[in-house]
Amino acid sequence: MSLTRSVDVAIIGGGPAGTALALTLCLYSKLTVAVIEKTAYDNIRTGEHVSASLLPLLSYLQVKEPFLADSHVPVYNVAAIWGHSELHSRSSILNQMGEGYLLDRGKFDRMLAEQVACKGGQLYMQTKCVEGEPLAGGGWKLFLEDGLGESFELESRYLVDATGRQARISKRLGAMSLVWDSLVGISAFLSFESDRSPAEEVLVESIPEGWWYSAWLPDGKLIAVLMTDIDIMRQGKLHKEEQWVELLSKACHTKHRAREGTLVYPLAVKPAHSHILDCAVGEDWMAVGDAATAFDPLSSMGIGHAITSGCDAAVALIEYLSNNKDELLKQYQKALERNFDNYLGIRYRYYALENRWLDLPFWQRRTQLTPIPIAAK
Ligand SMILES: Cc1cc2nc3c(=O)[nH]c(=O)nc-3n(C[C@H](O)[C@H](O)[C@H](O)COP(=O)(O)OP(=O)(O)OC[C@H]3O[C@@H](n4cnc5c(N)ncnc54)[C@H](O)[C@@H]3O)c2cc1C
């Protein structure tokens, strides 16, 4: 039997953006909120290096203590081989706030979701949104299905797309994603028989086909990610284990870290393109986090931005749903555009530091000052 529940705000996607929004609503308003997350946080989640600027955000969300109680590891050294063949060690690639953390991403995302439930929000894990339709007087009716195959309906005054970089809900509602590149990350986890005590927790190494990212995770595994464009990946079959390992063997410093490691899972390919929605706020809906704007992982800005955008979106929503004023929603949209413009400048300057392979497609594409985005529906 189908049961209809109702909330003020329904958030599809329980990543850092969706849960930050939900926590802000729970803590700083009387609005009711539900987070609908399709997983149980037991899937492989990439993106783990965060700067120290995460901590004030976690304090604002009143989750700093559970965060510090978990086994995330502080990062003291980030090293890069970029623009030349020597290794340069520094505290961070782009962020200027000092050391950050390497997260156990599954644990981090799940902790934020559980805190939503602790603070009075509704949390539906392993739940899919099968369909949704606008209600005649405004708001939405969502048709949901949980992990046991049980169907139920949820009505909400407002809908939030927090589904990540693919922005599936926003695109279905007519928004266009303006895409700046076709970057993908092909990642693998390596385990080791003996303990390693690395000099650098995080390493970035540029190569003719793109760049490698590798980091020592809290559980002692090494994550190694090849970042390249999707056409270069397909052409070189770089998503196949043999070709991926062969390319790794040519990256001097990353290869050295990975020696004696054993691949634990099959390779995973994740989209990592930079994009912004042409419109992140619509009639009774909005997008947050990667769904609204997503950055090159080189910046390590993704998780911090996702949480900030969730908090900002919540403040705008409180004003809109409590006082019927949409000024903050308009400011939210403008701030996304402004931040994305700033980010494009940083991205250009950082890639311009590497000029050893300007005749090769990956690097050629990133030296254009004003690349034209591709619109994707
Ligand atoms: C290879 C790679 C490396 C990265 N490295 C870093 C890094 O080192 N540091 C950093 O800060 N950022 C990094 N990022 C970026 C970072 O992971 C993202 O910016 C961040 O996760 C965005 O958070 P989000 O909540 O917007 O989206 P996500 O984290 O993608 O969360 C979206 C959530 O929505 C759920 N979902 C999706 N569709 C549905 C649906 N239909 N119904 C219900 N639930 C749904 C998903 O299961 C997921 O839980 C990296 C990204 C990639 C691809």
Side-chain angles (χ1 to χ4, degrees):
M1 194 184 71
S2 147
L3 178 72
T4 302
R5 306 166 200 193
S6 109
V7 284
D8 292 309
V9 181
I11 302 166
I12 313 224
T19 49
L21 195 156
L23 282 168
T24 311
L25 292 181
C26 291
L27 291 168
Y28 303 106
S29 82
K30 293 194 162 50
L31 297 171
T32 52
V33 61
V35 174
I36 296 122
E37 165 58 42
K38 68 178 179 186
T39 71
Y41 297 99
D42 48 5
N43 57 334
I44 292 173
R45 294 182 166 240
T46 35
E48 52 283 309
H49 180 214
V50 285
S51 78
S53 60
L54 182 75
L55 292 178
L57 293 171
L58 298 183
S59 292
Y60 174 77
L61 296 174
Q62 297 182 16
V63 295
K64 193 167 154 190
E65 277 174 24
F67 170 77
L68 292 175
D70 279 338
S71 53
H72 311 294
V73 292
V75 172
Y76 300 106
N77 276 300
V78 176
I81 300 102
W82 195 270
H84 42 70
S85 52
E86 297 94 57
L87 181 135
H88 280 243
S89 228
R90 47 183 144 161
S91 64
S92 177
I93 298 287
L94 286 177
N95 288 312
Q96 289 160 6
M97 291 196 61
E99 293 89 7
Y101 284 89
L102 273 173
L103 304 176
D104 176 330
R105 250 323 270 285
K107 206 179 242 184
F108 179 73
D109 288 6
R110 193 185 175 102
M111 179 278 286
L112 289 175
E114 285 171 352
Q115 287 294 319
V116 171
C118 289
K119 293 184 165 65
Q122 297 175 33
L123 173 64
Y124 300 104
M125 286 200 285
Q126 285 186 288
T127 300
K128 282 190 298 201
C129 181
V130 184
E131 201 43 78
E133 61 188 32
L135 292 167
W140 301 89
K141 180 183 274 207
L142 305 176
F143 299 91
L144 306 176
E145 195 181 285
D146 69 17
L148 302 171
E150 288 284 314
S151 301
F152 61 100
E153 293 169 11
L154 180 72
E155 289 187 359
S156 72
R157 292 168 67 195
Y158 207 90
L159 180 63
V160 177
D161 178 4
T163 57
R165 207 173 287 253
Q166 305 285 12
R168 290 196 200 285
I169 311 281
S170 306
K171 287 183 192 165
R172 280 184 73 174
L173 293 171
M176 195 98 80
S177 165
L178 304 175
V179 178
W180 257 258
D181 54 58
S182 66
L183 193 70
V184 287
I186 308 138
S187 59
F189 294 85
L190 293 105
S191 69
F192 297 83
E193 275 185 12
S194 54
D195 260 6
R196 316 294 292 264
S197 45
E200 293 88 16
E201 292 89 354
V202 176
L203 177 75
V204 170
E205 181 171 13
S206 56
I207 56 165
E209 296 81 359
W211 49 277
W212 284 95
Y213 161 87
S214 57
W216 292 100
L217 299 175
D219 64 1
K221 290 196 187 75
L222 181 78
I223 180 171
V225 190
L226 168 64
M227 308 296 309
T228 189
D229 286 334
I230 197 157
D231 58 329
I232 301 173
M233 177 191 87
R234 286 188 180 133
Q235 220 174 6
K237 298 194 172 41
L238 302 175
H239 52 306
K240 307 274 185 206
E241 200 176 302
E242 194 186 327
Q243 286 81 350
W244 187 91
V245 170
E246 185 173 340
L247 205 60
L248 177 67
S249 72
K250 293 183 188 154
C252 298
H253 297 270
T254 311
K255 172 183 77 174
H256 186 68
R257 279 153 78 86
R259 74 191 188 282
E260 295 162 21
T262 313
L263 290 181
V264 226
Y265 308 107
L267 299 184
V269 181
K270 292 263 164 91
H273 54 269
S274 298
H275 96 111
I276 182 166
L277 288 183
D278 65 340
C279 157
V281 181
E283 187 75 35
D284 291 336
W285 69 268
M286 73 191 304
V288 293
D290 272 13
T293 49
F295 306 118
D296 191 314
L298 185 61
S299 66
S300 287
M301 280 164 68
I303 298 166
H305 158 77
I307 294 179
T308 309
S309 89
C311 297
D312 291 349
V315 172
L317 268 185
I318 294 168
E319 179 76 347
Y320 179 64
L321 294 175
S322 309
N323 303 324
N324 206 20
K325 290 189 180 145
D326 68 355
E327 195 48 41
L328 291 184
L329 282 176
K330 288 183 187 148
Q331 281 178 26
Y332 170 79
Q333 168 81 48
K334 289 223 170 69
L336 286 179
E337 291 162 11
R338 209 172 40 242
N339 290 342
F340 194 74
D341 275 353
N342 283 340
Y343 152 74
L344 286 178
I346 298 172
R347 171 182 177 268
Y348 171 77
R349 287 196 294 280
Y350 202 77
Y351 275 108
L353 294 174
E354 176 55 88
N355 51 26
R356 287 178 289 172
W357 304 294
L358 291 180
D359 53 331
L360 296 178
F362 183 86
W363 297 99
Q364 227 167 42
R365 290 165 188 166
R366 283 158 180 84
T367 51
Q368 293 166 34
L369 234 186
T370 47
I372 315 238
I374 299 161
K377 269 227 146 226

